[in-house]
Amino acid sequence: MAGEEEVKLLGFWVSPFVLRVEWALKIKGVKYEYIEEDIFNKSSLLLELNPLYKKVPVLVHHGKVIAESFVILEYIDETWKHNPLLPQDPHQRAMARFWAKFAEQQVFEGAWNALCSQGEAKQRALQGTMESMEKIEGQLQGNEQFLGGESIGYLDIILGWISYYLEVWEEVGSMKIMDPVKFPATASWMKRLLQHPVIKGGWPPREKMVVYFHHRSKALGSSPHGWLGFNWSSYREWIFFCPFYVPHLD
């Protein structure tokens, strides 16, 4: 397909936000050049391309720069029309965006807050995340394959991190969020997603993730500035990697 060789993606090995973009590009069959960034020692290229937030993912297409995973996904879907990610019906498309925002603000942020906190704060975060998972479970009930229908769609991509990252976070944080008995539809969806050709085998190394997130949660949990009260809608991808502590990983 014309122009595919001009697609570049700046990423970081453990970023679920970057994985979303990679999945979308693969679903569309778009070839791209992946450029690994050291987000604790940002390159001049990253600072040039994303001077506002200085973070990944960053997509470059024909010299045009797009940042933020939600924005990039919509750009990809509108640029390469085949294998659509978002529904064609306006109402269904709006609802996909609604649930994507809910999942990000309530499930992702809740689980991350639980990972990076202790005591009552951790319990509150866990309770809120579990309640939000119940809402996601309701959306998954009755779906034979994926939230996007018979094929993976926008909402599956946004929620896809749950299939792999959540178990790692549960191990690191000594907590339990995903109960297959309580959330059977979610558990079934996770299994299908993990076996999908685009998703299967493309995850970061688990043991390396455990070490990384152990250090991230410890650093954020002990930061004198704290991490609660941030405007997550603007900073979720920043705080996920902010360098309060830099683990050495080979």
Side-chain angles (χ1 to χ4, degrees):
M1 192 173 299
E4 289 183 354
E5 69 280 358
E6 298 183 40
V7 177
K8 297 180 180 180
L9 173 62
L10 279 68
F12 182 57
W13 68 274
V14 76
S15 170
F17 313 113
V18 173
L19 270 180
R20 290 170 178 169
V21 178
E22 292 196 89
W23 293 340
L25 290 170
K26 290 175 181 178
I27 289 170
K28 295 288 188 176
V30 177
K31 295 181 180 179
Y32 62 97
E33 176 187 353
Y34 177 80
I35 302 172
E36 176 71 9
E37 279 290 330
D38 178 356
I39 51 82
F40 299 108
N41 184 25
K42 297 178 175 66
S43 71
S44 57
L45 178 63
L46 177 60
L47 297 177
E48 175 188 347
L49 295 177
N50 192 3
L52 182 59
Y53 290 120
K54 305 176 179 65
K55 63 185 181 182
V56 295
V58 175
L59 186 77
V60 184
H61 179 223
H62 288 307
K64 295 176 290 187
V65 180
I66 310 96
E68 301 290 322
S69 61
F70 276 43
V71 178
I72 295 172
L73 290 183
E74 296 219 24
Y75 177 84
I76 290 171
D77 204 31
E78 293 173 4
T79 301
W80 294 277
K81 302 293 186 180
H82 59 287
N83 300 334
L85 304 178
L86 280 160
Q88 299 303 297
D89 177 77
H91 179 258
Q92 292 180 2
R93 191 160 60 244
M95 293 308 298
R97 292 184 177 119
F98 172 86
W99 283 106
K101 184 177 181 180
F102 174 86
E104 194 79 346
Q105 292 181 341
Q106 304 300 322
V107 179
F108 184 93
E109 295 168 15
W112 181 250
N113 288 346
L115 173 64
C116 298
S117 59
Q118 300 295 329
E120 292 184 6
K122 188 183 193 75
Q123 292 306 312
R124 286 196 301 270
L126 283 171
Q127 180 63 31
T129 305
M130 294 283 284
E131 291 174 357
S132 298
M133 286 290 292
E134 291 177 0
K135 302 296 191 300
I136 298 298
E137 174 74 8
Q139 291 300 303
L140 283 161
Q141 289 174 351
N143 284 279
E144 294 184 3
Q145 291 296 323
F146 302 103
L147 286 161
E150 292 299 313
S151 57
I152 290 179
Y154 177 80
L155 193 49
D156 298 288
I157 291 174
I158 296 298
L159 277 165
W161 67 273
I162 292 176
S163 301
Y164 192 80
Y165 282 73
L166 189 55
E167 187 176 272
V168 173
W169 290 5
E170 288 175 334
E171 177 182 340
V172 172
S174 300
M175 59 188 188
K176 189 66 177 176
I177 295 173
M178 180 54 214
D179 183 348
V181 175
K182 189 172 184 178
F183 307 123
T186 303
S188 297
W189 168 81
M190 288 168 60
K191 290 179 181 178
R192 290 192 294 272
L193 198 69
L194 287 169
Q195 293 302 313
H196 191 279
V198 168
I199 309 295
K200 187 176 182 180
W203 301 99
R206 180 185 171 87
E207 291 306 314
K208 191 176 179 182
M209 288 178 68
V210 168
V211 174
Y212 178 85
F213 285 117
H214 172 76
H215 288 302
R216 300 307 305 126
S217 61
K218 181 179 179 181
L220 290 169
S222 62
S223 169
H225 302 290
W227 46 267
L228 292 172
F230 269 86
N231 180 355
W232 268 93
S233 63
S234 298
Y235 293 103
R236 67 181 183 275
E237 297 177 21
W238 173 81
I239 202 169
F240 194 71
F241 306 117
C242 59
F244 292 130
Y245 178 85
V246 183
H248 176 73
L249 296 174
D250 295 324

